Amino acid sequence: MEWTASAIVLATRKHSEANVIVEVMTRDRGRHLGLVRGGRSRRMAPLLQVGNTLHMVWRARLDEHLGTFTVDAERLIGADLMARPLALNAIQLCAAHLRLLPERDPHARLHDLLSLIVETSTQPDTRDLLCALVARFELLLLEELGFGLDLERCASTGQADQLVYVSPKSGRAVSNGAGEPYKDRLLPLPAFLRGSLEGLTRDDLAGAFQLTGHFLERDVWAPRGVRPPDARQAVLSRAGSRASALP
């Protein structure tokens, strides 16, 4: 068995004195693990840093085997991420979220959004944009896990505009007019989760992470008996404003 793909490094772990097991995200084969022989060497270690994009060839005798990777550099940003804590935490958080999905299941949209997050992580003055993309990643993750929210029309009136709330029970959008009497019991729906990122504010980010955090806790973390990833609180803390106090 053999395949070739471009892949984003999510994590590595030691396997013997010389080798490492590498976890990557590919567009067509999902999250995938493989052994890199000599991965702890001075030549190979810089290639296997979190956030790097590599050209990888996977080989195994049978498809269900761990298999081995041979790698070549495509885009190396791992060293830069060490000086950008928010960017590193953002990618680590996305990696933790991807582990909620079965290994080797393709999730092309999550891969593409992760690629955009990786690209954004190297650009200056993009803190709010990076946090917004991570919030969108969490929203898409819920959909890929089968818990997608219905944000297209108001659950009460059916209208498609002025959608500013989400029902914490149904996960459906609610318009400003219909939701006003019950706004203390509804979750915020920041406009950037449905459209443009223009005019993004810190309160928008806080509201977005409050929204995704509620449904991740209710539908994913609590039923599986797991805690939110540590990297999530790190991202929220660096997002600023009241986001640092969210789940």
Side-chain angles (χ1 to χ4, degrees):
M1 303 291 299
E2 178 178 321
W3 54 258
T4 301
S6 177
I8 300 168
V9 178
L10 302 179
T12 63
R13 68 174 184 265
K14 178 181 175 182
H15 185 78
S16 80
E17 290 302 314
N19 306 327
V20 296
I21 293 176
V22 181
E23 180 184 30
V24 300
M25 183 64 179
T26 68
R27 193 173 198 277
D28 296 327
R29 297 180 180 273
R31 183 176 60 88
H32 210 291
L33 277 71
L35 180 72
V36 176
R37 301 190 187 281
R40 302 190 69 207
S41 68
R42 290 185 178 181
R43 182 182 72 85
M44 293 297 297
L47 299 182
L48 304 179
Q49 299 298 309
V50 172
N52 285 346
T53 302
L54 306 175
H55 177 81
M56 312 198 79
V57 179
W58 179 83
R59 296 184 179 90
R61 190 171 63 85
L62 297 175
D63 186 61
E64 59 266 27
H65 288 176
L66 173 65
T68 60
F69 283 132
T70 56
V71 306
D72 287 303
E74 286 191 4
R75 189 166 186 271
L76 305 183
I77 66 167
D80 292 339
L81 291 179
M82 299 304 294
R84 298 173 179 265
L86 172 60
L88 180 59
N89 289 146
I91 295 171
Q92 289 172 331
L93 174 56
C94 292
H97 284 329
L98 289 170
R99 294 183 192 112
L100 296 168
L101 298 161
E103 186 188 348
R104 305 188 182 190
D105 273 11
H107 293 274
R109 291 188 299 165
L110 284 173
H111 170 272
D112 292 348
L113 186 47
L114 176 61
S115 295
L116 180 58
I117 290 170
V118 168
E119 176 67 27
T120 304
S121 70
T122 64
Q123 300 172 9
D125 302 322
T126 55
R127 179 177 66 175
D128 290 354
L129 174 59
L130 190 58
C131 290
L133 293 175
V134 173
R136 283 184 170 182
F137 189 94
E138 292 192 338
L139 190 66
L140 179 57
L141 175 74
L142 284 165
E143 183 177 340
E144 296 288 296
L145 286 168
F147 303 108
L149 309 185
D150 182 357
L151 306 181
E152 297 305 312
R153 294 188 176 274
C154 174
S156 178
T157 67
Q159 69 185 75
D161 59 345
Q162 298 183 352
L163 303 178
V164 296
Y165 303 113
V166 175
S167 166
K169 294 183 178 180
S170 69
R172 298 183 65 188
V174 181
S175 67
N176 186 41
E180 182 64 22
Y182 317 101
K183 62 181 181 180
D184 292 341
R185 288 178 276 169
L186 299 173
L187 294 165
L189 175 55
F192 81 87
L193 289 180
R194 300 181 65 246
S196 171
L197 292 165
E198 186 176 353
L200 184 68
T201 69
R202 296 292 171 82
D203 282 346
D204 290 335
L205 295 175
F209 282 117
Q210 181 184 6
L211 175 66
T212 57
H214 170 81
F215 289 102
L216 284 168
E217 175 64 28
R218 189 192 74 176
D219 297 327
V220 182
W221 296 328
R224 299 187 186 203
V226 301
R227 294 179 55 81
D230 291 340
R232 190 173 196 268
Q233 186 57 47
V235 170
L236 298 186
S237 296
R238 292 188 169 91
S241 188
R242 57 188 172 90
S244 60
L246 299 178

